[in-house]
Amino acid sequence: QVQLVESGGGLVQAGGSLRLSCAASGIIFSINAMGWYRQTPGKQRELVAAITSGGNTNYADSVKGRFSISRDNAKNTVYLQMDSLEPEDTAVYYCNAKITLMTSRYEYTYWGQGTQVTVSS
C-alpha cells in the first residue's frame, strides 16, 4: 500500500550535522502530515518534528533552534536537517506519515523502518 523509506542516518561527532530524508510511495491520495519521531531503549517513541501539508511546523522543545523540518510535496518527501547535534540526540529516528489512500476515505498512519543516529562526545 504505502512505504516510507528513510535515509541519512549515521555516526557524527557532537556539534556536527546530519540530514534525514523520508520518501513516501504507494497508492497515495493525499499526505496530511509528515514527521519524525525518535526512540531509545526503555523510552517511548517521542515526536521530534512534524509538518502539515500546508507547511505548518512544530518541534520538540529539546530540538528547537537546532533541527529544521521541510517538505517537498511534489516528491512526497520530508527532510529533517539536524545541526548542533548532541549525544542526547542519539536514537533511532522514524519517519511518520498520515495518509489518505486512493482506495479509502479514511486516514492511516504509516511508519518507516527507522534509521540510526549516533552522536559521539
Side-chain angles (χ1 to χ4, degrees):
Q1 292 181 305
V2 172
Q3 291 181 314
L4 304 180
V5 180
E6 302 123 322
S7 63
L11 175 65
V12 65
Q13 292 183 337
S17 298
L18 287 173
R19 184 176 176 85
L20 305 183
S21 299
C22 174
S25 62
I27 49 173
I28 298 170
F29 178 77
S30 64
I31 300 178
N32 305 313
M34 299 186 76
W36 291 93
Y37 291 70
R38 66 187 181 187
Q39 187 171 24
T40 57
K43 298 176 64 177
Q44 290 188 320
R45 191 171 299 183
E46 63 178 357
L47 174 69
V48 177
I51 186 168
T52 69
S53 60
N56 295 323
T57 61
N58 68 288
Y59 298 89
D61 289 340
S62 59
V63 306
K64 286 182 178 178
R66 300 188 298 118
F67 291 9
S68 179
I69 190 169
S70 61
R71 182 173 179 175
D72 186 336
N73 291 332
K75 298 182 180 296
N76 290 334
T77 300
V78 65
Y79 306 93
L80 185 66
Q81 178 67 43
M82 304 185 294
D83 298 323
S84 301
L85 283 162
E86 304 168 352
E88 291 75 18
D89 297 316
T90 296
V92 177
Y93 284 69
Y94 295 90
C95 180
N96 169 271
K98 300 184 184 301
I99 296 173
T100 299
L101 306 180
M102 290 190 294
T103 56
S104 175
R105 64 185 292 185
Y106 300 107
E107 182 183 83
Y108 297 87
T109 299
Y110 292 91
W111 294 94
Q113 64 187 40
T115 183
Q116 177 70 47
V117 171
T118 302
V119 184
S120 62
S121 301

